[in-house]
Amino acid sequence: MTEVRARAARHKGQLNFEAELKALLYAYGDVPVPLPETVRVLDEIVTDFIIETCHQAARSATYSNRQKIKVDDFKFAIRGNEAMLGRVQELLGMDKELKEARKQFDVAEGEKGLEKGRGGRGRGKRKRGEEGEEED
């Protein structure tokens, strides 16, 4: 693991998650405007965690002779933290369900449009009396 102080100099003064951390602190009972030092320290901790997790996932991909990092590499990197791994799997499952629901919605909407004779392509003639249509 890289020494935290060595990396802190590289990102010194740069806050990546300031607004999110202020909202998180307030949600957990802090004052509406937390101390800047508190936000800075939490930002450094979160940034270091993300960087370290990405490095571990990259190492996992390298061991698998891949140059691109996959979701499984991140799962492998956080395998020691059961709560975090469970949450990641839950979110990935919800993402999959949402994609399937969107796909079903798009398919159902496309069939509905075809039933009416309006497939969404071109400018077909409208029947007389429809809104915005002049009679020929």
Side-chain angles (χ1 to χ4, degrees):
M1 188 166 166
T2 309
E3 180 64 32
V4 176
R5 283 175 274 157
R7 275 190 275 130
R10 188 173 63 199
H11 298 289
K12 189 169 182 132
Q14 177 184 355
L15 295 178
N16 298 312
F17 307 103
E18 183 177 9
E20 293 87 352
L21 289 173
K22 284 181 178 181
L24 182 74
L25 285 168
Y26 185 63
Y28 279 96
D30 200 0
V31 293
V33 182
L35 292 173
E37 295 83 17
T38 305
V39 176
R40 182 185 53 76
V41 168
L42 276 175
D43 190 84
E44 285 180 14
I45 292 169
V46 170
T47 302
D48 286 342
F49 172 77
I50 292 172
I51 290 171
E52 201 56 43
T53 305
C54 289
H55 283 299
Q56 289 175 359
R59 248 183 265 128
S60 174
T62 302
Y63 289 145
S64 301
N65 293 324
R66 285 183 278 112
Q67 290 185 350
K68 291 186 178 181
I69 301 173
K70 294 185 176 182
V71 174
D72 289 338
D73 297 321
F74 282 99
K75 286 182 182 180
F76 186 78
I78 62 171
R79 70 189 182 282
N81 188 337
E82 292 179 12
M84 191 182 311
L85 182 60
R87 180 70 173 143
V88 166
Q89 289 174 337
E90 180 184 343
L91 290 172
L92 289 172
M94 285 186 350
D95 184 51
K96 187 176 180 180
E97 288 177 20
L98 286 172
K99 284 181 182 177
E100 289 295 321
R102 278 191 210 108
K103 189 187 302 182
Q104 292 297 323
F105 183 74
D106 290 342
V107 169
E109 193 173 88
E111 290 173 1
K112 184 179 176 184
L114 291 174
E115 288 173 5
K116 289 184 177 179
R118 297 182 193 172
R121 295 181 185 210
R123 293 186 65 180
K125 289 190 175 185
R126 295 182 182 175
K127 294 179 185 176
R128 285 187 180 186
E130 287 189 359
E131 290 182 301
E133 181 67 28
E134 295 179 20
E135 293 185 19
D136 293 299

Short mmCIF file of all heavy atoms in Angstrom, two decimals, residues 79-107:
data_model
loop_
_atom_site.label_atom_id
_atom_site.label_comp_id
_atom_site.label_asym_id
_atom_site.label_seq_id
_atom_site.Cartn_x
_atom_site.Cartn_y
_atom_site.Cartn_z
N ARG A 79 -13.30 -7.90 -1.97
CA ARG A 79 -13.82 -9.17 -1.46
C ARG A 79 -13.68 -9.31 0.05
O ARG A 79 -14.44 -10.04 0.68
CB ARG A 79 -13.16 -10.34 -2.16
CG ARG A 79 -11.70 -10.53 -1.78
CD ARG A 79 -11.01 -11.56 -2.65
NE ARG A 79 -9.63 -11.77 -2.25
CZ ARG A 79 -8.62 -10.97 -2.54
NH1 ARG A 79 -8.83 -9.88 -3.25
NH2 ARG A 79 -7.39 -11.25 -2.14
N GLY A 80 -12.74 -8.61 0.67
CA GLY A 80 -12.53 -8.71 2.11
C GLY A 80 -13.60 -8.00 2.93
O GLY A 80 -13.81 -8.31 4.09
N ASN A 81 -14.29 -7.05 2.34
CA ASN A 81 -15.34 -6.30 3.02
C ASN A 81 -16.70 -6.84 2.56
O ASN A 81 -17.20 -6.44 1.51
CB ASN A 81 -15.19 -4.81 2.71
CG ASN A 81 -16.11 -3.95 3.53
OD1 ASN A 81 -17.14 -4.39 4.02
ND2 ASN A 81 -15.73 -2.69 3.67
N GLU A 82 -17.28 -7.72 3.34
CA GLU A 82 -18.52 -8.39 2.94
C GLU A 82 -19.68 -7.41 2.75
O GLU A 82 -20.48 -7.57 1.84
CB GLU A 82 -18.91 -9.45 3.97
CG GLU A 82 -17.96 -10.62 4.01
CD GLU A 82 -18.36 -11.64 5.07
OE1 GLU A 82 -19.50 -11.55 5.60
OE2 GLU A 82 -17.55 -12.51 5.35
N ALA A 83 -19.77 -6.41 3.61
CA ALA A 83 -20.86 -5.44 3.50
C ALA A 83 -20.76 -4.65 2.21
O ALA A 83 -21.76 -4.45 1.50
CB ALA A 83 -20.85 -4.50 4.70
N MET A 84 -19.56 -4.22 1.87
CA MET A 84 -19.36 -3.45 0.65
C MET A 84 -19.60 -4.31 -0.58
O MET A 84 -20.25 -3.87 -1.54
CB MET A 84 -17.95 -2.86 0.61
CG MET A 84 -17.77 -1.84 -0.48
SD MET A 84 -16.10 -1.18 -0.60
CE MET A 84 -15.72 -0.76 1.06
N LEU A 85 -19.10 -5.53 -0.55
CA LEU A 85 -19.28 -6.44 -1.67
C LEU A 85 -20.76 -6.75 -1.86
O LEU A 85 -21.26 -6.77 -3.00
CB LEU A 85 -18.49 -7.73 -1.47
CG LEU A 85 -18.56 -8.76 -2.58
CD1 LEU A 85 -18.04 -8.18 -3.88
CD2 LEU A 85 -17.77 -10.00 -2.21
N GLY A 86 -21.49 -6.96 -0.77
CA GLY A 86 -22.92 -7.20 -0.86
C GLY A 86 -23.67 -6.03 -1.45
O GLY A 86 -24.57 -6.21 -2.28
N ARG A 87 -23.28 -4.83 -1.05
CA ARG A 87 -23.94 -3.63 -1.58
C ARG A 87 -23.64 -3.47 -3.07
O ARG A 87 -24.53 -3.12 -3.85
CB ARG A 87 -23.46 -2.40 -0.81
CG ARG A 87 -24.06 -1.11 -1.27
CD ARG A 87 -25.54 -1.01 -0.94
NE ARG A 87 -26.00 0.32 -1.27
CZ ARG A 87 -27.20 0.57 -1.78
NH1 ARG A 87 -28.06 -0.39 -1.95
NH2 ARG A 87 -27.54 1.80 -2.08
N VAL A 88 -22.41 -3.75 -3.46
CA VAL A 88 -22.05 -3.65 -4.88
C VAL A 88 -22.86 -4.66 -5.69
O VAL A 88 -23.40 -4.32 -6.75
CB VAL A 88 -20.53 -3.89 -5.08
CG1 VAL A 88 -20.19 -4.14 -6.53
CG2 VAL A 88 -19.74 -2.69 -4.56
N GLN A 89 -22.99 -5.89 -5.19
CA GLN A 89 -23.77 -6.90 -5.91
C GLN A 89 -25.24 -6.51 -5.98
O GLN A 89 -25.90 -6.72 -6.99
CB GLN A 89 -23.58 -8.26 -5.25
CG GLN A 89 -22.20 -8.82 -5.48
CD GLN A 89 -21.93 -10.11 -4.72
OE1 GLN A 89 -22.58 -10.37 -3.71
NE2 GLN A 89 -20.98 -10.89 -5.19
N GLU A 90 -25.74 -5.91 -4.91
CA GLU A 90 -27.13 -5.45 -4.90
C GLU A 90 -27.34 -4.35 -5.95
O GLU A 90 -28.32 -4.38 -6.70
CB GLU A 90 -27.48 -4.92 -3.51
CG GLU A 90 -28.89 -4.41 -3.36
CD GLU A 90 -29.15 -3.82 -1.98
OE1 GLU A 90 -28.37 -4.08 -1.05
OE2 GLU A 90 -30.15 -3.10 -1.85
N LEU A 91 -26.43 -3.40 -6.01
CA LEU A 91 -26.55 -2.31 -6.98
C LEU A 91 -26.40 -2.80 -8.42
O LEU A 91 -27.10 -2.34 -9.32
CB LEU A 91 -25.52 -1.21 -6.68
CG LEU A 91 -25.77 -0.41 -5.42
CD1 LEU A 91 -24.59 0.50 -5.13
CD2 LEU A 91 -27.05 0.40 -5.55
N LEU A 92 -25.51 -3.76 -8.64
CA LEU A 92 -25.36 -4.33 -9.98
C LEU A 92 -26.62 -5.09 -10.38
O LEU A 92 -27.04 -5.03 -11.55
CB LEU A 92 -24.14 -5.24 -10.03
CG LEU A 92 -22.79 -4.55 -9.99
CD1 LEU A 92 -21.66 -5.56 -9.85
CD2 LEU A 92 -22.57 -3.68 -11.22
N GLY A 93 -27.24 -5.79 -9.44
CA GLY A 93 -28.50 -6.48 -9.72
C GLY A 93 -29.62 -5.51 -10.07
O GLY A 93 -30.39 -5.74 -11.01
N MET A 94 -29.70 -4.41 -9.32
CA MET A 94 -30.72 -3.40 -9.61
C MET A 94 -30.47 -2.76 -10.96
O MET A 94 -31.42 -2.49 -11.71
CB MET A 94 -30.72 -2.32 -8.51
CG MET A 94 -31.35 -2.79 -7.23
SD MET A 94 -31.56 -1.58 -5.90
CE MET A 94 -30.69 -0.15 -6.37
N ASP A 95 -29.20 -2.54 -11.31
CA ASP A 95 -28.87 -1.98 -12.62
C ASP A 95 -29.32 -2.91 -13.74
O ASP A 95 -29.89 -2.46 -14.74
CB ASP A 95 -27.36 -1.72 -12.70
CG ASP A 95 -26.96 -1.03 -13.99
OD1 ASP A 95 -27.57 0.00 -14.32
OD2 ASP A 95 -26.04 -1.54 -14.66
N LYS A 96 -29.09 -4.19 -13.55
CA LYS A 96 -29.51 -5.18 -14.55
C LYS A 96 -31.03 -5.18 -14.70
O LYS A 96 -31.56 -5.23 -15.82
CB LYS A 96 -29.00 -6.55 -14.14
CG LYS A 96 -29.21 -7.62 -15.16
CD LYS A 96 -28.58 -8.93 -14.71
CE LYS A 96 -28.79 -10.01 -15.74
NZ LYS A 96 -28.18 -11.28 -15.31
N GLU A 97 -31.75 -5.13 -13.57
CA GLU A 97 -33.21 -5.10 -13.60
C GLU A 97 -33.72 -3.85 -14.32
O GLU A 97 -34.67 -3.91 -15.11
CB GLU A 97 -33.78 -5.14 -12.20
CG GLU A 97 -33.65 -6.46 -11.50
CD GLU A 97 -34.16 -6.42 -10.07
OE1 GLU A 97 -34.96 -5.51 -9.74
OE2 GLU A 97 -33.77 -7.30 -9.29
N LEU A 98 -33.09 -2.71 -14.05
CA LEU A 98 -33.51 -1.47 -14.72
C LEU A 98 -33.28 -1.52 -16.22
O LEU A 98 -34.10 -1.06 -17.00
CB LEU A 98 -32.77 -0.27 -14.11
CG LEU A 98 -33.23 0.16 -12.73
CD1 LEU A 98 -32.30 1.23 -12.17
CD2 LEU A 98 -34.65 0.70 -12.80
N LYS A 99 -32.15 -2.10 -16.63
CA LYS A 99 -31.88 -2.23 -18.06
C LYS A 99 -32.92 -3.12 -18.74
O LYS A 99 -33.40 -2.81 -19.83
CB LYS A 99 -30.47 -2.80 -18.28
CG LYS A 99 -29.38 -1.80 -18.06
CD LYS A 99 -28.02 -2.40 -18.31
CE LYS A 99 -26.92 -1.39 -18.02
NZ LYS A 99 -25.58 -1.97 -18.19
N GLU A 100 -33.27 -4.23 -18.08
CA GLU A 100 -34.29 -5.12 -18.62
C GLU A 100 -35.64 -4.42 -18.70
O GLU A 100 -36.36 -4.56 -19.68
CB GLU A 100 -34.40 -6.39 -17.77
CG GLU A 100 -33.21 -7.31 -17.90
CD GLU A 100 -33.08 -7.90 -19.29
OE1 GLU A 100 -34.12 -8.23 -19.91
OE2 GLU A 100 -31.94 -8.00 -19.76
N ALA A 101 -35.99 -3.66 -17.67
CA ALA A 101 -37.27 -2.94 -17.66
C ALA A 101 -37.30 -1.90 -18.77
O ALA A 101 -38.32 -1.74 -19.45
CB ALA A 101 -37.50 -2.28 -16.30
N ARG A 102 -36.18 -1.18 -18.97
CA ARG A 102 -36.13 -0.20 -20.06
C ARG A 102 -36.29 -0.87 -21.40
O ARG A 102 -36.98 -0.37 -22.29
CB ARG A 102 -34.81 0.57 -20.01
CG ARG A 102 -34.80 1.69 -19.04
CD ARG A 102 -33.57 2.57 -19.25
NE ARG A 102 -33.21 3.14 -17.98
CZ ARG A 102 -32.15 2.80 -17.25
NH1 ARG A 102 -31.30 1.90 -17.68
NH2 ARG A 102 -31.92 3.36 -16.09
N LYS A 103 -35.63 -2.02 -21.54
CA LYS A 103 -35.72 -2.75 -22.81
C LYS A 103 -37.16 -3.19 -23.06
O LYS A 103 -37.68 -3.03 -24.17
CB LYS A 103 -34.81 -3.97 -22.77
CG LYS A 103 -34.67 -4.66 -24.12
CD LYS A 103 -33.91 -5.97 -24.04
CE LYS A 103 -32.52 -5.82 -23.49
NZ LYS A 103 -31.79 -7.10 -23.46
N GLN A 104 -37.84 -3.70 -22.04
CA GLN A 104 -39.23 -4.12 -22.18
C GLN A 104 -40.12 -2.93 -22.49
O GLN A 104 -41.03 -3.02 -23.30
CB GLN A 104 -39.70 -4.82 -20.89
CG GLN A 104 -39.04 -6.15 -20.65
CD GLN A 104 -39.34 -7.16 -21.73
OE1 GLN A 104 -40.45 -7.21 -22.26
NE2 GLN A 104 -38.35 -7.95 -22.08
N PHE A 105 -39.87 -1.81 -21.84
CA PHE A 105 -40.66 -0.61 -22.07
C PHE A 105 -40.48 -0.12 -23.49
O PHE A 105 -41.44 0.23 -24.16
CB PHE A 105 -40.26 0.48 -21.07
CG PHE A 105 -41.08 1.73 -21.19
CD1 PHE A 105 -42.38 1.76 -20.74
CD2 PHE A 105 -40.55 2.88 -21.76
CE1 PHE A 105 -43.14 2.91 -20.84
CE2 PHE A 105 -41.30 4.02 -21.88
CZ PHE A 105 -42.61 4.04 -21.42
N ASP A 106 -39.23 -0.11 -23.99
CA ASP A 106 -38.96 0.33 -25.36
C ASP A 106 -39.62 -0.60 -26.37
O ASP A 106 -40.18 -0.15 -27.36
CB ASP A 106 -37.45 0.40 -25.61
CG ASP A 106 -36.79 1.54 -24.86
OD1 ASP A 106 -37.51 2.46 -24.43
OD2 ASP A 106 -35.55 1.52 -24.71
N VAL A 107 -39.57 -1.90 -26.11
CA VAL A 107 -40.19 -2.86 -27.02
C VAL A 107 -41.70 -2.68 -27.02
O VAL A 107 -42.33 -2.64 -28.07
CB VAL A 107 -39.81 -4.32 -26.62
CG1 VAL A 107 -40.66 -5.32 -27.37
CG2 VAL A 107 -38.34 -4.55 -26.88
#
